[in-house]
Amino acid sequence: MNKNIIAIAIAAAGFIIGLAFLGSAIKNRNRADNTISVTGLGSNKFTSDLITWSGNFSRNSFELKSAYDELANDKKIIENYLVSKGIPKDKMVFSAVDIQKQFTYTNDSNGSSHQTFAGYQLSQTVSINSKEVAKIENLSRNITEIINLGIEFASSPPNYFYTKLADVKQQMIADATKDAKQRAEKIAENSGSKLGHLKRATMGVTQITAPNSTEEYSYGGTFNTSSKDKEARITIKLEYEVD
C-alpha cells in the first residue's frame, strides 16, 4: 500500500515538473519569436573617374628578325600617334613581345596528317590607365586611325572604375541601415508594439551595375566595368526585439 502511494506521488511530482519545463519552453520560444527582421536598401549612382584601355598589334613573317623589326617600327608609330593625341609616354605600358610559331595542317591521300611551318607571329599589347576618361574613351572609338597607318591593330573595349568607391559604400551602408530601422519602427507601430534592442545586423554584398540594366545580381557581388555610369546597391538586414 505504502509502495503504491510512493509511486503515485513520484509520478505526480514528475508530471508537475514536466509541466513546469514545458511552460518555460513555450515562454522562451515566444520570447525568441518576439522579434522583427527587416531589410533596408542603400543605393548610389555615380560616374567613373578612371578608365583602362588596351590594344594589340602584330606582325607575321617567315623570318623572325624581320617580324621583330616590323613590330618595333609599329610600336614607334603607335607611340607617336598616342603622343599626338595628348597621351604622355609614361601613361603607355607596352607588354613584352609574344612569339608564336604558325603551322598549316594537311592530310595526304593515305589520311596521314602533316604540318607545315607557316611563319612567325609576333604580337604586343599597349595599355593605358588614365583619369582623363573622355579623352581615352574618344581614343578607343577612333582607333581606325592607327589601322589606316598600316598597322594590324585590335582595340579592346575600355573598362571603367571609380576610385572613391569606399566612400560610396560607407554612405550606402548608412542609408541602408536607416532605411531598415524606419521599416522596423513602422511595423512595430502598426502592430501596437514598441521597437526594442537591436539583436543582429547582417550586411549583404555590393552590387554595381549599369543604371537601368538587366544585369543579374551575383551571390558574391557584381562589379560592372563596361559602363561609365554606374549604380551601386547594398542591403542591410536588421533584427530587433519587440516590447
Side-chain angles (χ1 to χ4, degrees):
M1 179 72 177
N2 290 336
K3 290 182 179 180
N4 291 335
I5 294 174
I6 292 172
I8 293 172
I10 292 173
F15 179 72
I16 293 171
I17 293 172
L19 287 177
F21 275 116
L22 179 61
S24 177
I26 293 174
K27 182 178 180 181
N28 289 335
R29 186 195 67 185
N30 290 337
R31 181 178 299 170
D33 290 341
N34 200 26
T35 60
I36 291 177
S37 293
V38 290
T39 300
L41 173 66
S43 63
N44 201 317
K45 292 183 178 180
F46 54 93
T47 301
S48 302
D49 61 357
L50 178 68
I51 185 172
T52 67
W53 170 80
S54 66
N56 180 272
F57 55 103
S58 62
R59 282 290 179 176
N60 296 277
S61 177
F62 279 92
E63 297 294 331
L64 182 60
K65 184 179 184 306
S66 176
Y68 187 86
D69 290 342
E70 290 176 355
L71 192 72
N73 185 61
D74 289 346
K75 177 183 175 181
K76 290 181 181 179
I77 294 174
I78 292 171
E79 190 175 63
N80 292 335
Y81 171 81
L82 295 176
V83 168
S84 73
K85 295 299 181 180
I87 310 301
K89 286 187 178 182
D90 60 0
K91 293 295 183 181
M92 309 173 200
V93 178
F94 287 89
S95 69
V97 176
D98 180 65
I99 303 174
Q100 298 288 335
K101 287 184 177 181
Q102 304 295 304
F103 296 92
T104 57
Y105 297 89
T106 57
N107 292 323
D108 59 23
S109 58
N110 296 321
S112 299
S113 178
H114 301 275
Q115 67 175 23
T116 304
F117 178 64
Y120 296 95
Q121 182 184 65
L122 275 63
S123 61
Q124 200 167 6
T125 300
V126 58
S127 303
I128 298 174
N129 290 359
S130 176
K131 289 190 174 183
E132 295 183 283
V133 177
K135 179 186 289 187
I136 304 304
E137 192 175 46
N138 184 64
L139 178 68
S140 68
R141 292 173 178 172
N142 294 282
I143 210 61
T144 51
E145 294 180 3
I146 291 181
I147 298 175
N148 291 336
L149 296 175
I151 298 174
E152 187 177 333
F153 193 90
S155 175
S156 300
N159 290 315
Y160 301 90
F161 302 90
Y162 190 60
T163 60
K164 300 177 183 178
L165 190 57
D167 296 336
V168 171
K169 286 184 178 180
Q170 289 182 5
Q171 184 59 51
M172 287 195 303
I173 291 171
D175 292 342
T177 303
K178 181 179 178 180
D179 180 47
K181 185 176 181 181
Q182 289 176 343
R183 292 171 185 263
E185 289 173 339
K186 195 65 177 178
I187 293 173
E189 179 185 341
N190 291 340
S191 62
S193 304
K194 184 180 179 181
L195 205 63
H197 296 294
L198 177 65
K199 293 183 62 178
R200 188 177 295 107
T202 306
M203 184 175 68
V205 296
T206 303
Q207 308 283 354
I208 301 177
T209 63
N212 305 315
S213 74
T214 58
E215 294 177 76
E216 294 185 0
Y217 287 174
S218 168
Y219 179 79
T222 301
F223 193 96
N224 177 287
T225 60
S226 61
S227 174
K228 179 171 63 175
D229 297 315
K230 304 180 189 297
E231 182 173 12
R233 292 171 176 262
I234 197 168
T235 57
I236 297 289
K237 183 178 181 181
L238 302 181
E239 185 177 343
Y240 285 96
E241 292 179 349
V242 178
D243 300 328

